[in-house]
């Protein structure tokens, strides 16, 4: 009988000991710096340039190197992203028909800094960030505030983020002659008057996200975003030709509401295939409704090598403000011949290769992964685009 | 409009599904780097391009900063 008490008592004691471990205990990670070297190359060509009123070349090349650093120490996480885009655009060359170069070169520099801090042991974090983007006809500042909550078992995550963009569309900052914002740039033949009452664009975005592990092989994510923009939403150097032969710069309403909802489902099938599926719905008060379906399948060829083919289909309705070249009525209040706002479908096919050995190089550094991705996009108005991406990730860990 | 109603119906149905608890020792699949919900910088650039060449801005898409996107 005593033996039974002893065994029963021991079981109770060990069960109590197991519960006595604090459920809120947190593993403090070793300070670590993660570095991403990123290079993207984008080419497109089409025949519906908005700069020339919905006709003409849309040939564009963007070379886009970037550098991301994220440092994690204790409860805090600091990230810095820097990047440059070198843009060669045949259509932008046509803002001024007198320009004789075959294509026009522009640059865009952008930088963002972010900080997040875990406030409580129960998984609540707060984050904040700021950044800017500068190109010859555009200066944008942004600010972000957000919160995130991870549950104890890390099976569920809530996020909320508020992002503001303040944009100035005046040209002149990257011109050696001016180095300061001077004026809005209209097509060369329309510079005899000011067409807009504002040169600023403000955007306010609210993002809400929820991720949850449904079972040991499936993760579900839901993201929603509401955006309110006001100010100059038209692009000053987009031409619009009218049925009566008239010509004016594009004109769009001074405010816009956008709403979007995306559902993602990632599922590990068998031992080597991961299906990443998503469906996204979108609508705005410019009259555009859109839906996108996407699948990306990661096939693990080895534990450190994955092949990632992907496909995406997207369809949108046209904005009533859109009409092709020389089909606008002169009595219309708002008008554009930008095919980005027309009834289009896009089909994208992509292929990625990721090698992730997490190999030690040096005493404290790890080579995490290298990723190469190619994507081809076809838009039903004839525009075609190619993107080649390259990302290399390294980790530097501080000794304990 | 029919497809939009269908989309929201599917979304609400998925949200209403029960979720099983996943124990820490059962997480080898969902902790795999390929199962992450976030995007890598290469996909982020692709989403940035899509948000310019398409009229819609997808929810939660990566957008490094502002930018004209008017070329």
């Amino acid at each position: 009988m005593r033996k039974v008490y002893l065994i029963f008592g021991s079981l109770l004691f060990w069960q109590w000991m197991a519960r006595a471990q604090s459920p809120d205990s947190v593993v403090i990670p070793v300070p670590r710096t993660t570095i991403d070297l990123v290079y993207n190359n984008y080419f497109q060509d089409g025949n519906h340039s908005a700069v020339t009123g919905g006709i003409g070349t849309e040939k564009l090349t963007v070379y886009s190197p970037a550098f991301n650093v994220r440092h994690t120490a204790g409860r805090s996480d600091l990230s810095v992203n820097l990047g440059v885009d070198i843009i060669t655009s045949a259509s932008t060359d046509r803002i001024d028909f007198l320009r004789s170069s075959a294509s026009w070169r522009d640059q865009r520099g952008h930088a963002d800094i972010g900080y997040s801090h875990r406030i409580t042991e129960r998984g609540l974090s707060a984050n904040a960030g700021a950044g800017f983007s500068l190109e010859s006809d555009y200066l944008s500042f942004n600010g972000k505030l957000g919160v995130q909550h991870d549950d104890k078992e890390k099976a569920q995550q809530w996020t909320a983020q508020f992002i503001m963009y303040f944009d100035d569309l005046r040209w002149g900052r990257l011109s050696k002659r001016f180095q300061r914002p001077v004026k809005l740039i209209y097509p060369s033949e329309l510079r005899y008057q000011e067409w807009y009452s504002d040169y600023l664009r403000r955007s306010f975005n609210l993002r809400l996200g929820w991720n949850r592990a449904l079972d040991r092989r499936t993760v579900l994510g839901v993201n929603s975003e509401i955006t309110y923009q006001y100010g100059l939403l038209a692009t000053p150097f987009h031409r619009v030709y009218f049925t009566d032969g008239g010509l004016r710069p594009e004109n769009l309403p001074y405010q816009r509401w956008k709403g979007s909802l995306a559902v993602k489902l990632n599922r590990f099938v068998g031992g080597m295939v991961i299906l990443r599926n998503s469906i996204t719905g979108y609508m705005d008060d410019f009259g555009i409704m859109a839906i996108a379906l996407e699948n990306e399948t990661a096939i693990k060829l080895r534990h450190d090598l994955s092949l990632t083919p992907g496909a995406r289909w997207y369809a949108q309705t046209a904005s009533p403000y859109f009409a092709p070249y020389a089909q606008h009525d002169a009595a219309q209040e708002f008008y554009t011949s930008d095919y980005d706002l027309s009834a289009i479908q896009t089909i994208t096919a992509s292929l990625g290769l990721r090698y992730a050995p997490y190999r030690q190089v040096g005493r404290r550094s790890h080579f995490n992964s290298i990723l190469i991705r190619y994507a081809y996009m076809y838009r039903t108005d004839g525009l075609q685009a190619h993107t080649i991406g390259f990302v290399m990730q390294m980790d530097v860990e501080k000794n304990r | 409009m029919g497809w939009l109603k269908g989309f929201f119906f599917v979304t609400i149905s998925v949200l209403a599904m029960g979720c099983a608890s996943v124990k820490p020792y059962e997480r080898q699949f969902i902790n795999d780097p390929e199962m992450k919900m976030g995007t890598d910088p290469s996909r982020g650039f692709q989403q940035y391009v899509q948000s310019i060449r398409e009229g819609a801005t997808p929810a939660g898409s990566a957008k490094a900063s502002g930018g004209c996107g008017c070329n």
Side-chain angles (χ1 to χ4, degrees), chain A residues 163-174:
Chain A
I163 310 171
M164 298 163 289
Y165 291 96
F166 297 100
D167 307 342
D168 184 336
L169 279 73
R170 288 175 298 173
W171 175 88
R173 286 183 182 83
L174 295 182

Side-chain angles (χ1 to χ4, degrees), chain B residues 13 16-17 22 26 29 35 37 44 47 53-55 62:
Chain B
S13 304
M17 284 189 335
V22 181
E26 295 176 327
F29 293 115
M35 285 286 282
M37 279 286 169
Q47 288 178 350
R53 284 291 79 94
E54 296 166 351

Side-chain angles (χ1 to χ4, degrees), chain A residues 2 22 68 86 98 101 104-105 107 121 125 150 158 167 201 209 229 269 301 322 332 349 379 397:
Chain A
R2 276 186 180 176
S22 166
N68 306 331
I86 297 149
L98 297 176
S101 62
W104 194 50
R105 187 163 285 191
Q107 297 87 35
E121 301 297 353
S125 309
D150 296 88
W158 289 95
D167 307 342
R201 179 182 298 172
Q229 293 183 297
V269 182
L301 304 175
F322 170 82
Q332 276 183 263
R379 202 168 77 173
E397 227 170 57

Side-chain angles (χ1 to χ4, degrees), chain A residues 72-118:
Chain A
T72 307
R75 293 161 171 249
S76 301
D77 193 295
L78 178 71
S79 65
V80 176
N81 305 329
L82 303 170
V84 177
D85 293 350
I86 297 149
I87 304 159
T88 310
S89 166
S91 64
T92 314
D93 192 34
R94 307 292 174 86
I95 295 170
D96 186 341
F97 285 118
L98 297 176
R99 194 183 290 272
S100 58
S101 62
S103 59
W104 194 50
R105 187 163 285 191
D106 197 4
Q107 297 87 35
R108 172 180 172 242
H110 56 98
D112 287 271
I113 186 164
Y115 177 76
S116 78
H117 186 79
R118 199 173 63 235

Side-chain angles (χ1 to χ4, degrees), chain A residues 48 55 80 109 123 137 176 228 240 252 280 304 321 344:
Chain A
H48 287 129
I55 55 169
V80 176
D137 62 337
K176 284 179 184 166
Y228 173 67
V240 176
L252 293 170
T280 306
D304 56 358
Y321 310 134
I344 47 166

Side-chain angles (χ1 to χ4, degrees), chain B residues 9-59:
Chain B
F9 175 76
V10 169
T11 306
I12 298 300
S13 304
V14 168
L15 287 176
M17 284 189 335
C19 306
S21 168
V22 181
K23 304 268 187 304
Y25 57 86
E26 295 176 327
R27 300 180 65 86
Q28 76 270 30
F29 293 115
I30 57 176
N31 281 345
D32 191 281
E34 298 286 0
M35 285 286 282
K36 284 205 170 94
M37 279 286 169
T39 56
D40 61 70
S42 169
R43 275 185 64 76
F45 183 83
Q46 184 69 27
Q47 288 178 350
Y48 177 60
V49 167
Q50 283 161 354
S51 72
I52 293 167
R53 284 291 79 94
E54 296 166 351
T57 316

